[in-house]
Amino acid sequence: MNFNISVLCNTCESQTNCRLGMSNREIQPLRFRCKCGVPIDITMTLDFENTNVDIQVSGAKRIEMDAFEAGVNFVDLHLDFPVSFGKYVMGSTPFMQASMRVGYEAMQIHKMRVNHLNDVCSSEKEIRDILTLYSNNNSGIFKVKVMKFLGSKMACDTQLDQNRALYHAIERSFFPFAEPKRNMDAVNLFTEKLMKLEINNKNALHAFFEEIVTNGFLKNVQTDCLEIYPRIIDIELMLRPALFLDFDHEYEGNQVPYRVSAHEFVDAKDLYKDISEIINRALVLVAGLNNIKKRGSHDLFPEGKHVPSSLNKFADCPFGKKLDYIDESWYSIDSEAIDNQLRNSVAHYKTKYNEVSQEIIYFPQQEGMKQEHPKNMYFLDFSRRILLSFRELHRLNHLTKCLFVYYYLRVLGEEGTPVDI
Ligand SMILES: [Zn+2]
């Protein structure tokens, strides 16, 4: 269902016609920028029977109109899909355009995922509490909260059990963002590698655990990962169109200026920077295991100039350098998940954002005071990058999970409790 409304900007008094596409969410906050750059917010609220919709506008006032006339500024707005800029065409709604691009089955999966996001949002506080309690080692309250959330009576007393319960809760909450097959493959790979290393390099592997557990590094990386999840819920509206692109293969590589109808660049750039930084730190774990496999010690890197003398020194290397020192890595980072040029530009305030066109211009090169070699992308591309980098972080978080499982089982000798007890 769609609603056509017309608004007059409070600042410049220009008129914009808006076609509002309905999502399945009770409250639907939409935003666009007027031609003059000022934000105009439109909030649609469904009543409890989902039969009536209340539409509130701020930054502009609603005016009566009979039909959309050509020549008047026009915007399509929809929370769940990328929407194109351009002229109003009756019937060519974002929903219809999306259906034509990806087909019925993909539309159903997308619908199921965004429906689930509504549930995630309503459980946001519970999820946040579970993650915080686990990170702070509040095991008593963690157990109560996580069991309630999971609706489960599975064993949750040992560290091993609690680790399992935590990741059950994460999987349940974040499956709309995840790629289940790829996660499963990653977990199988992590487990298999650890088993092989135990057979061939047990002492070296245990020395590695001794270091990363004693100095708190493994726990810190896990805690950093856990802190990202609530921030993903905060921007889930922004990620809905990015999730749709999983199915829209025509879009890949085409920088089409689609609009995202909620949130803006400023809301998400720190998150992108922080996810990149955590992936960068998690690479220390990948490198340590690689070194054990290749040279029998987590501290031994391949020979060469400026090669770090230990894993501890490696931790301080910048991201680009880190990848150079992991020779023929057993685990490959998704190349789309990390764009070092974009990360550096965002981290060093070398970006410009046009709120009206949603174009991001960034300057990745070091060129002194000049800014002559820009690159550009649209906000939708950027939100897609956040989604892909979050997926990589999620996989690396599973590496921390598997490392802890190994540590509890094989180093500390904890007993695992079967799930069905
Ligand atoms: Zn205006």
Side-chain angles (χ1 to χ4, degrees):
M1 200 189 341
N2 294 272
F3 295 93
N4 288 353
I5 68 166
S6 202
V7 298
L8 273 192
C9 172
N10 286 347
T11 305
C12 72
E13 298 195 338
S14 63
Q15 182 182 348
T16 302
N17 292 333
C18 315
R19 176 165 52 197
L20 315 175
M22 286 289 288
S23 174
N24 58 348
R25 214 172 183 271
E26 187 187 341
I27 299 172
Q28 301 177 34
L30 299 158
R31 164 173 281 204
F32 71 97
R33 292 276 181 160
C34 173
K35 287 191 291 190
C36 71
V38 163
I40 295 177
D41 290 292
I42 300 173
T43 306
M44 296 197 285
T45 309
L46 292 171
D47 70 4
F48 67 99
E49 286 174 324
N50 286 3
T51 47
N52 282 312
V53 179
D54 174 61
I55 299 174
Q56 297 291 330
V57 180
S58 76
K61 67 170 177 287
R62 222 172 136 175
I63 53 170
E64 292 298 322
M65 53 93 211
D66 294 325
F68 283 179
E69 286 170 14
V72 176
N73 188 38
F74 166 71
V75 293
D76 256 326
L77 295 165
H78 200 303
L79 286 180
D80 298 342
F81 305 104
V83 294
S84 51
F85 289 76
K87 287 183 186 157
Y88 171 71
V89 180
M90 193 193 286
S92 183
T93 64
F95 176 85
M96 288 306 292
Q97 288 183 30
S99 303
M100 276 156 46
R101 289 205 300 277
V102 306
Y104 178 77
E105 195 179 324
M107 288 294 277
Q108 291 304 107
I109 300 172
H110 184 59
K111 185 178 169 192
M112 184 265 293
R113 296 203 297 192
V114 296
N115 277 347
H116 186 82
L117 286 179
N118 295 336
D119 299 338
V120 171
C121 287
S122 58
S123 314
E124 187 262 341
K125 174 148 188 345
E126 258 181 296
I127 298 166
R128 193 183 289 267
D129 287 351
I130 287 169
L131 298 169
T132 306
L133 291 165
Y134 189 89
S135 292
N136 293 340
N137 302 321
N138 273 320
S139 55
I141 320 174
F142 168 78
K143 180 181 165 181
V144 175
K145 296 277 181 192
V146 79
M147 287 298 107
K148 183 167 176 246
F149 179 73
L150 291 172
S152 163
K153 288 192 168 52
M154 74 166 92
C156 194
D157 293 315
T158 66
Q159 296 182 93
L160 204 52
D161 296 337
Q162 298 212 343
N163 182 301
R164 178 172 59 196
L166 170 73
Y167 285 90
H168 266 296
I170 291 176
E171 284 306 311
R172 178 176 297 185
S173 308
F174 290 88
F175 93 80
F177 299 107
E179 303 154 293
K181 165 106 177 47
R182 259 181 105 180
N183 283 345
M184 189 112 67
D185 288 349
V187 169
N188 289 340
L189 174 71
F190 300 150
T191 312
E192 180 203 324
K193 283 292 159 206
L194 286 167
M195 290 299 119
K196 270 197 183 155
L197 288 177
E198 182 179 59
I199 293 166
N200 298 322
N201 306 84
K202 187 171 178 183
N203 290 342
L205 183 62
H206 285 215
F208 172 61
F209 275 104
E210 172 68 23
E211 177 155 3
I212 60 171
V213 172
T214 309
N215 65 15
F217 183 79
L218 182 58
K219 175 76 179 172
N220 288 340
V221 171
Q222 186 189 44
T223 303
D224 291 344
C225 289
L226 297 183
E227 282 173 4
I228 294 298
Y229 292 92
R231 295 171 68 187
I232 290 292
I233 300 178
D234 290 343
I235 57 156
E236 61 88 19
L237 290 177
M238 185 189 112
L239 293 175
R240 289 172 179 228
L243 278 169
F244 176 77
L245 296 183
D246 279 348
F247 309 105
D248 191 354
H249 301 299
E250 270 181 37
Y251 177 81
E252 266 173 38
N254 295 328
Q255 286 216 333
V256 187
Y258 282 113
R259 188 194 306 277
V260 179
S261 306
H263 286 288
E264 297 192 329
F265 179 55
V266 69
D267 302 329
K269 60 182 187 173
D270 283 350
L271 178 60
Y272 182 72
K273 187 178 63 138
D274 293 347
I275 292 177
S276 303
E277 190 50 43
I278 297 166
I279 292 175
N280 183 11
R281 281 160 57 72
L283 275 181
V284 173
L285 302 171
V286 175
L289 294 172
N290 210 51
N291 288 347
I292 297 172
K293 179 169 174 261
K294 300 263 166 56
R295 287 166 289 277
S297 162
H298 61 269
D299 280 328
L300 285 181
F301 284 88
E303 287 185 10
K305 265 190 177 176
H306 310 300
V307 169
S309 55
S310 67
L311 193 61
N312 198 35
K313 291 264 190 270
F314 172 84
D316 290 334
C317 296
F319 180 77
K321 283 279 167 215
K322 273 202 177 83
L323 291 179
D324 291 345
Y325 298 138
I326 309 178
D327 49 334
E328 300 164 68
S329 181
W330 62 277
Y331 177 76
S332 50
I333 298 282
D334 181 351
S335 58
E336 285 187 292
I338 290 254
D339 179 335
N340 216 23
Q341 292 192 335
L342 178 62
R343 191 208 77 92
N344 284 338
S345 304
V346 169
H348 300 127
Y349 295 102
K350 289 164 77 173
T351 53
K352 290 179 182 166
Y353 181 57
N354 181 330
E355 291 100 344
V356 179
S357 67
Q358 298 196 339
E359 186 179 20
I360 299 162
I361 297 174
Y362 61 105
F363 302 89
Q365 295 187 19
Q366 291 198 323
E367 41 190 356
M369 286 193 281
K370 294 180 192 161
Q371 290 191 320
E372 289 177 337
H373 297 97
K375 287 190 161 191
N376 77 317
M377 65 167 50
Y378 287 91
F379 182 47
L380 177 63
D381 298 313
F382 184 73
S383 55
R384 179 81 184 157
R385 299 295 184 94
I386 291 188
L387 176 64
L388 297 180
S389 63
F390 169 66
R391 284 173 169 167
E392 184 59 64
L393 174 128
H394 184 56
R395 278 190 291 278
L396 288 166
N397 185 24
H398 274 91
L399 174 60
T400 71
K401 176 206 169 187
C402 293
L403 288 170
F404 270 118
V405 168
Y406 182 90
Y407 178 72
Y408 297 142
L409 269 176
R410 312 297 289 177
V411 181
L412 298 185
E414 251 185 34
E415 296 282 327
T417 317
V419 177
D420 52 357
I421 282 184

